Amino acid sequence: MTSASDGRWIHLEGTANTRDLGGLPTTDGGRTLPNRILRSDNLQTLSDADVQLLVEKIGLREVIDLRTSAEVLLEGRGPLRALPEVVHRHFTLLPERGQYTDVFAAEEDEVPDLPSGWLDSLLPRHVAEHDEGEPAPVRSYLGYLSQRGDAVVEALRALAAQTEGASVVHCAAGKDRTGVVVALTLAVAGVPHEEIAIDYGLSGNVIDAIIARLRATPTYGGDTAQRNTADHAPRRETMDRVLELLDERYGGPIGWLETHGFGADEQAALRARLRD
């Protein structure tokens, strides 16, 4: 089975890494449906035409934002925030300091109270002893699952609860934090591991554009400038390894979700978003 990726890309003026999760093959011979769940990089600089395409043509009604509170506040309000028909939900996948439990309720005049360097708001991430030998990206993704498993599950619950319109899952680059949440979502929909890894790796096709956008912002410019662009590129073998470890330790992504309280009814609801 192979995924046809060309028709899944959504070409927007204000993003570099937006695509539809529809059209992916499933283990029972089906395909995921388009215009249900999208994945993307940062949505802060969408043009008016982008907003019109997403909201009026695709039917976007929910934004799942996986960035930290500091990132959201420092970047400011994106154009979708002005639309009452689009609900925004925030689930940070990085452990962080801070007082904001509902970052979308915070006003912009609170931003100066944040640390001068937003990375200072992040708490140290601990690596389990048995994961210390894994490649750095694999360790990071396992860290999301072990240290912010609650946020990962809540993000999937939000996707499962949306009853109409499309949802978009995004972080800053749309490849790491988004990649983990999307991988679990696709697993619930019955997409095989091979196709999940292929979808994850597609972000590498646009990595130059992703990093160029991030480097142009004061929020991300310093961090992204420290490494070569190629170092940021997602590789299929990274997701292959994460899924392999979930198979070994939990019997697969579904086993991980069940262990963390995402039960059969919620799985059925999430599956229906992409299949029914």
Side-chain angles (χ1 to χ4, degrees):
M1 290 180 290
T2 56
S3 56
S5 63
D6 289 347
R8 297 176 48 229
W9 288 98
I10 301 173
H11 300 289
L12 303 173
E13 298 172 10
T15 67
N17 191 22
T18 305
R19 57 187 183 271
D20 198 314
L21 297 188
L24 288 167
T26 58
T27 55
D28 61 1
R31 292 262 174 184
T32 54
L33 294 174
N35 296 348
R36 297 294 184 86
I37 300 179
L38 319 177
R39 59 178 297 165
S40 185
D41 50 337
N42 202 342
L43 303 172
Q44 298 299 117
T45 57
L46 293 176
S47 67
D48 291 342
D50 294 339
V51 172
Q52 183 177 20
L53 173 63
L54 289 170
V55 177
E56 296 183 14
K57 183 175 181 180
I58 295 176
L60 182 67
R61 293 296 181 269
E62 179 184 53
V63 174
I64 305 294
D65 191 337
L66 305 177
R67 296 173 298 163
T68 65
S69 301
E71 288 172 271
V72 174
L73 293 173
L74 289 170
E75 286 289 281
R77 289 177 178 269
L80 291 173
R81 289 281 308 283
L83 303 182
E85 64 266 40
V86 180
V87 176
H88 284 70
R89 308 188 193 282
H90 176 240
F91 308 100
T92 177
L93 297 198
L94 298 177
E96 58 180 307
R97 300 178 178 88
Q99 59 182 314
Y100 302 111
T101 56
D102 182 1
V103 28
F104 294 125
E107 298 297 330
E108 279 74 4
D109 58 10
E110 294 182 83
V111 172
D113 296 331
L114 291 169
S116 58
W118 71 268
L119 288 173
D120 294 338
S121 68
L122 301 182
L123 293 168
R125 283 181 281 176
H126 302 288
V127 178
E129 184 175 349
H130 58 274
D131 292 331
E132 290 179 352
E134 298 292 342
V138 174
R139 295 198 306 269
S140 292
Y141 298 174
L142 294 175
Y144 303 157
L145 296 174
S146 64
Q147 297 176 55
R148 294 312 310 265
D150 56 338
V152 172
V153 168
E154 288 302 321
L156 266 66
R157 283 186 174 136
L159 290 171
Q162 186 70 16
T163 57
E164 62 180 39
S167 301
V168 60
V169 181
H170 84 94
C171 53
K175 61 186 181 71
D176 299 311
R177 291 170 283 188
T178 297
V180 170
V181 169
V182 164
L184 293 174
T185 299
L186 292 177
V188 172
V191 176
H193 287 9
E194 176 188 6
E195 293 292 336
I196 293 173
I198 290 172
D199 176 71
Y200 165 80
L202 287 177
S203 294
N205 296 353
V206 291
I207 194 62
D208 289 339
I210 293 172
I211 299 304
R213 284 174 45 78
L214 294 177
R215 283 178 176 163
T217 68
T219 306
Y220 306 107
D223 180 52
T224 54
Q226 295 175 11
R227 292 184 290 164
N228 293 328
T229 298
D231 293 337
H232 296 275
R235 293 172 174 81
R236 175 180 166 180
E237 53 265 31
T238 297
M239 186 55 67
D240 280 331
R241 180 57 177 161
V242 171
L243 294 172
E244 180 183 19
L245 290 171
L246 290 180
D247 285 343
E248 292 175 2
R249 298 173 185 179
Y250 298 95
I254 303 301
W256 184 90
L257 287 167
E258 290 175 343
T259 299
H260 290 78
F262 194 77
D265 290 345
E266 292 174 316
Q267 292 171 38
L270 181 56
R271 184 183 184 280
R273 289 295 313 281
L274 280 169
R275 297 298 306 278
D276 299 338

